[in-house]
Amino acid sequence: MERTGDKLFEKALEYPATLDTVPKIKATTPLIITFDSQTVNDTSLALDQALVSFQHVDTKNEVALPARAVKSTDSYKMDVSRKNFRLHFSSAPGVYNVALVLGSFKQGGLLYDLGNVEMVAPKSTKAKKPVAVYGPKPEIHHRFAEPQKMPNILVSLFFTGLVVVPFIGLLAGWAHLGVNADKLQMEPIGSVIFMGLIAAYITLAISYWIGVKLFPTLTYALVLALPTYLIGQYALSKRIEKHI
């Protein structure tokens, strides 16, 4: 066992010897077990399985931790770090039986009972339960946003009137070009449908200005485009034929 580099307890065992005392293991004094394996001919033996088993003497619950190979010394090492101690032993302190579980495909397996150790859990600090306090809460004061200062009504009416200017300009342009509805009776059906589609376009533009989104407006405009072109072409051709 070590703490900040100082060895508090050290015991060397040779199979089948066991510990003659029960050392106490704490979270601040982690347990380190190192061992090597040899054949009957005193040659180094590579293990295919190396585990350290901790079995609680009372509850019989078992924790198996792997031992890693240390190539520089041809040995194996297992340490119960603070993290492993809190994970496996803090909630279940007591006396544990420690054993090596070794296995080799060539030499078979071995269960080596090392003895007992006592895992001492740290003193638990119970968190205080929150106390429910019933009673009036402090008053909540709301502050609403102040209304924005709006421009004068005359300014709003002026810019609203500007919206009508392009339509007035359109009518003035038609009057200048001599556009009139005198000859619509030459093809009344086609002319009425064509003018209705033009009115639908104007309605669609007003709807977009009021609140319709851009992509739905473009979809409706594409739907109106083909019949407007075909009806306009039909009405114009019929008028030209009757004029001739």
Side-chain angles (χ1 to χ4, degrees):
M1 295 184 294
E2 298 181 359
R3 180 177 59 192
T4 63
D6 300 328
K7 292 185 178 180
L8 303 180
F9 174 82
E10 183 177 9
K11 183 71 174 180
L13 299 176
E14 185 175 354
Y15 182 77
T18 60
L19 294 174
D20 52 3
T21 59
V22 181
K24 293 184 178 181
I25 310 298
K26 300 180 181 180
T28 56
T29 57
L31 173 65
I32 299 177
I33 298 177
T34 58
F35 60 92
D36 55 4
S37 60
Q38 297 179 350
T39 64
V40 292
N41 299 325
D42 294 334
T43 58
S44 179
L45 175 63
L47 298 174
D48 299 299
Q49 174 181 279
L51 300 174
V52 181
S53 171
F54 296 86
Q55 187 179 43
H56 200 285
V57 174
D58 297 329
T59 63
K60 304 302 179 183
N61 293 332
E62 185 176 4
V63 177
L65 301 178
R68 64 180 185 274
V70 182
K71 295 183 179 180
S72 59
T73 58
D74 291 333
S75 61
Y76 295 85
K77 181 178 180 180
M78 190 284 311
D79 61 291
V80 180
S81 61
R82 295 184 180 182
K83 179 180 179 180
N84 286 335
F85 190 94
R86 291 193 301 267
L87 182 62
H88 300 292
F89 304 110
S90 290
S91 59
V95 179
Y96 283 80
N97 178 257
V98 185
L100 296 180
V101 183
L102 311 178
S104 172
F105 291 118
K106 295 181 180 180
Q107 301 294 330
L110 174 65
L111 179 63
Y112 180 12
D113 186 4
L114 299 179
N116 295 334
V117 296
E118 183 180 358
M119 299 296 185
V120 181
K123 296 182 179 179
S124 60
T125 56
K126 296 183 179 180
K128 296 182 179 179
K129 295 183 179 180
V131 180
V133 179
Y134 299 95
K137 299 294 183 181
E139 184 180 358
I140 300 176
H141 298 277
H142 295 280
R143 182 178 180 182
F144 298 96
E146 297 180 358
Q148 297 181 356
K149 187 178 181 180
M150 303 301 293
N152 191 286
I153 186 64
L154 296 178
V155 177
S156 301
L157 293 176
F158 172 74
F159 283 99
T160 303
L162 289 179
V163 177
V164 188
V165 171
F167 184 70
I168 297 175
L170 176 64
L171 297 179
W174 284 354
H176 179 72
L177 294 174
V179 177
N180 55 70
D182 295 339
K183 297 182 180 181
L184 290 178
Q185 63 271 16
M186 292 183 177
E187 181 53 41
I189 299 177
S191 299
V192 171
I193 297 176
F194 178 72
M195 296 304 294
L197 292 172
I198 295 298
Y201 266 108
I202 296 175
T203 305
L204 182 61
I206 295 174
S207 300
Y208 173 69
W209 182 57
I210 292 176
V212 179
K213 300 299 182 181
L214 176 61
F215 287 104
T217 302
L218 294 177
T219 303
Y220 300 146
L222 291 176
V223 172
L224 294 173
L226 183 59
T228 303
Y229 171 77
L230 295 177
I231 295 298
Q233 187 73 13
Y234 171 77
L236 184 60
S237 62
K238 289 296 181 181
R239 180 178 176 182
I240 292 175
E241 289 178 1
K242 292 183 178 180
H243 181 73
I244 295 175

